[in-house]
Amino acid sequence: PNIARRPGLNAVDLFRAVADGAVKAVWIMGTNPVVSLPDADRVRQALKACPLVVVSEVMADTDTAALAHIRLPALAWGEKEGSVTNSERCISRQRAFLPPPGEARADWWILSQVAQRMGYGEAFGYQHPAEIFSEHAALSGFENHGARAFDISGLAGLDRQAWRQMAPLQWPVNAQHPAGCRRLFSDGRFFHPDGKARLLPITPRLPQHAPTARYPLVLNTGRIRDQWHTMTRTGKTARLMRHISEPFCALHPQDAAALGIADGELTRLASRHGWMIARAQLTTDQPRGSVFVPMHWNDRFTAQGRVDSLIPPVVDALSGQPESKHAPVRVDRWPVCWQAEIFLRDAAPPPPGVYWSRVTQRQATHFIMAGQQPVTEWAAWLQQHFGLEGLTLQSASLSQHGYHLIGWRQGAVQLAFYARRQALALDRTAILAAFEQAPSPGAARLALLAGRAAPGQLAQGRTVCSCFGIDEPQILAAIGQGCGSTQALGEALQCGTNCGSCLPELKKLLAQCAGRRVA
């Protein structure tokens, strides 16, 4: 009698209702809406004001979990039993290959336990995921009679053993298709009484908000190859942070020139809903009049880098899908007095009042930073924010307001700091190697102080192939030695031979080198 008779609120409307006080309790499972939803600052404010926020998560530290009153440890992909249905209607058994860590539990178990404590034990007396699958299968055939394509009622009677051994198959699975159905509509009939399809005419329309004189550029959000969703897990992997280490905005060079923005400078992007900071990346791959920003960064990894805080909460009338690929914005140069990078052996919070981006490293805590207020005494600033007690200090003051400092304790590197007016060009691999094995006194330590590789060691640059840790100088050297194709590069260096996501960059480097030879 209590089954809903009409659709509930979609995600955007749900958080509007939370903000208005109509919804006073929300349970968030397996998603990070403070980062991923449009008008993300409003979502954050709504959760801050909500009387009860429950979050089921596999990661303890996310932007959304930070606002929870109750946090429930859930099972991750390799830890839970169940089934998965992909986009070709194929149902596959998902088998756990790791034991549940600590007090983490499956979502179905958590929901059932809460329901039982609320007095619904009879309806939520599940003891195993096979029982839930069986009920789900039975419901798919309830009052169906061929009216709905999704029907797996033929699987409703599976016991636990049969469910465990279930082989992949495509729905529908019923009396007409006991072994599944590889292809729908092969008999020329659709799921309507007359057997005919229903074609819905769509009238295309432009985005709801057009660019204006104040917000003249179109912001497009999207993904980069090495990160996933809001990077709560991929952001913890050092190898995946080597390719792109901080949020960026891709601009056409002509647009950037009109705005007075140089490649690599920090920018401030603003819309009517919010603002963020990102580093400019100039490329002719970006169409004029538009700007691209990745969707992944969040408050755990950078200061003011959540791009969805700029996106208006415009949704499709039927699906509720947000218009996340379009927002009128303005982009301005974000002037700074200094830029710096710091590597710390121990964990430390970022300093307040500055731009920062945390880059996951195995050997050290690593921050890229920039500030709009000048620093007159760097040693005092470092002592205030990171502490220098008990360290033997090796420092150097450079022209153009540069300052480098290495902190030692008992012959081991504890801190490496580099600051200049402009963005730095450091050999991060060499710096991180010093945290694993301290360089010998003399030229090697001087090279570390300069942020370079020791004499005789090959300098390392930007990682291109994350799978095998192959950087750009290695690839350029191989091209110079005669590797004229991605296949040849793969045979020489292995780059591009695993996941293949670096192949577009390899092709671009090959084309650049070919262009230089022609010129």
Side-chain angles (χ1 to χ4, degrees):
N2 295 324
I3 288 180
R5 300 294 178 182
R6 55 186 176 85
L9 299 173
N10 64 38
V12 173
D13 289 338
L14 169 63
F15 286 95
R16 284 184 178 134
V18 172
D20 295 340
V23 171
K24 295 179 168 36
V26 60
W27 189 346
I28 300 166
M29 307 178 75
T31 187
N32 196 9
V34 175
V35 181
S36 61
L37 280 185
D39 204 5
D41 288 344
R42 181 178 173 87
V43 173
R44 180 164 57 186
Q45 292 304 316
L47 289 179
K48 282 183 177 180
C50 187
L52 177 61
V53 178
V54 183
V55 173
S56 294
E57 252 291 353
V58 301
M59 307 303 298
D61 189 20
T62 73
D63 289 37
T64 302
L67 303 175
H69 301 98
I70 299 171
R71 291 188 295 175
L72 299 173
L75 294 184
W77 171 73
E79 300 161 356
K80 59 188 176 182
E81 294 278 340
S83 62
V84 174
T85 305
N86 68 11
S87 57
E88 63 166 354
R89 300 175 284 109
C90 186
I91 305 171
S92 302
R93 276 277 289 110
Q94 178 174 322
R95 294 169 173 85
F97 56 86
L98 292 172
E103 293 184 291
R105 296 291 184 269
D107 290 334
W108 70 265
W109 185 90
I110 296 172
L111 286 163
S112 296
Q113 292 295 311
V114 171
Q116 289 173 25
R117 284 157 175 76
M118 293 176 67
Y120 299 99
E122 184 178 352
F124 287 84
Y126 307 109
Q127 299 298 313
H128 192 273
E131 300 171 13
I132 301 172
F133 182 88
S134 180
E135 182 175 302
H136 170 57
L139 283 170
S140 72
F142 180 69
E143 295 182 350
N144 192 330
H145 308 301
R148 301 188 302 272
F150 178 68
D151 181 358
I152 57 171
S153 55
L155 302 173
L158 295 184
D159 58 21
R160 292 187 188 184
Q161 187 61 26
W163 177 80
R164 288 191 181 100
Q165 297 175 348
M166 183 177 68
L169 75 171
Q170 291 171 280
W171 58 260
V173 185
N174 50 26
Q176 290 74 36
H177 303 282
C181 178
R182 290 184 59 84
R183 183 168 181 173
L184 289 175
F185 315 123
S186 58
D187 60 356
R189 292 186 60 83
F190 292 81
F191 291 90
H192 297 289
D194 58 4
K196 295 182 179 180
R198 299 288 189 267
L199 302 181
L200 303 180
I202 301 298
T203 302
R205 64 170 177 80
L206 293 174
Q208 185 167 321
H209 298 292
T212 64
R214 179 166 178 77
Y215 302 107
L217 298 175
V218 173
L219 170 64
N220 173 26
T221 74
R223 304 173 184 274
I224 58 175
R225 68 169 211 210
D226 287 348
Q227 299 297 336
W228 175 252
H229 287 356
T230 60
M231 62 192 290
T232 53
R233 286 173 288 180
T234 52
K236 294 168 68 69
T237 304
R239 180 185 295 180
L240 297 179
M241 293 290 281
R242 290 176 188 159
H243 180 243
I244 298 175
S245 299
E246 59 182 327
F248 67 91
C249 64
L251 290 160
H252 192 281
Q254 293 181 14
D255 287 335
L259 297 167
I261 295 172
D263 190 41
E265 285 190 317
L266 288 171
T267 64
R268 185 183 189 273
L269 294 86
S271 74
R272 290 186 294 175
H273 295 270
W275 63 279
M276 68 172 293
I277 297 174
R279 199 170 293 277
Q281 185 183 99
L282 307 190
T283 171
T284 54
D285 293 341
Q286 188 66 26
R288 288 211 63 186
S290 66
V291 54
F292 171 83
V293 177
M295 57 168 278
H296 312 287
W297 269 266
N298 55 69
D299 287 348
R300 311 299 105 181
F301 287 92
T302 192
Q304 206 64 35
R306 293 157 48 251
V307 68
D308 278 317
S309 63
L310 283 69
I311 301 297
V314 177
V315 299
D316 175 72
L318 293 178
S319 69
Q321 178 69 29
E323 197 175 65
S324 297
K325 309 295 289 182
H326 179 97
V329 299
R330 64 178 299 114
V331 182
D332 297 297
R333 181 173 171 269
W334 196 67
V336 296
C337 294
W338 55 268
Q339 301 196 52
E341 294 194 34
I342 190 168
F343 302 79
L344 302 150
R345 184 171 295 278
D346 300 321
V354 303
Y355 164 80
W356 60 269
S357 191
R358 179 166 62 86
V359 185
T360 301
Q361 306 286 4
R362 291 188 297 107
Q363 304 92 331
T365 300
H366 176 199
F367 290 110
I368 301 171
M369 302 178 293
Q372 293 189 307
Q373 300 300 319
V375 176
T376 56
E377 179 53 56
W378 279 113
W381 188 88
L382 289 167
Q383 170 62 35
Q384 176 186 356
H385 296 296
F386 298 104
L388 301 176
E389 298 91 347
L391 300 182
T392 300
L393 304 179
Q394 176 188 11
S395 64
S397 296
L398 293 78
S399 60
Q400 297 297 315
H401 303 278
Y403 183 82
H404 294 189
L405 181 142
I406 308 298
W408 304 81
R409 179 180 292 122
Q410 298 178 348
V413 179
Q414 304 295 316
L415 177 150
F417 176 76
Y418 308 88
R420 292 190 184 177
R421 176 171 289 175
Q422 304 300 327
L424 296 93
L426 301 173
D427 190 329
R428 295 174 180 172
T429 302
I431 296 168
L432 292 166
F435 281 81
E436 292 188 340
Q437 183 173 353
S440 303
R445 291 196 177 189
L446 290 175
L448 174 62
L449 183 62
R452 299 196 301 266
Q457 294 182 356
L458 180 66
Q460 297 205 8
R462 181 179 64 91
T463 296
V464 175
C465 175
S466 297
C467 294
F468 296 104
I470 310 301
D471 61 20
E472 189 171 323
Q474 291 175 279
I475 295 167
L476 293 175
I479 295 173
Q481 294 168 5
C483 291
S485 66
T486 56
Q487 182 179 353
L489 288 171
E491 292 172 354
L493 301 174
Q494 290 187 286
C495 54
T497 62
N498 190 34
C499 75
S501 62
C502 64
L503 287 172
E505 288 187 70
L506 297 179
K507 293 176 181 177
K508 186 174 291 187
L509 291 172
L510 285 164
Q512 289 173 359
C513 291
R516 293 193 197 106
R517 285 195 291 269
V518 171

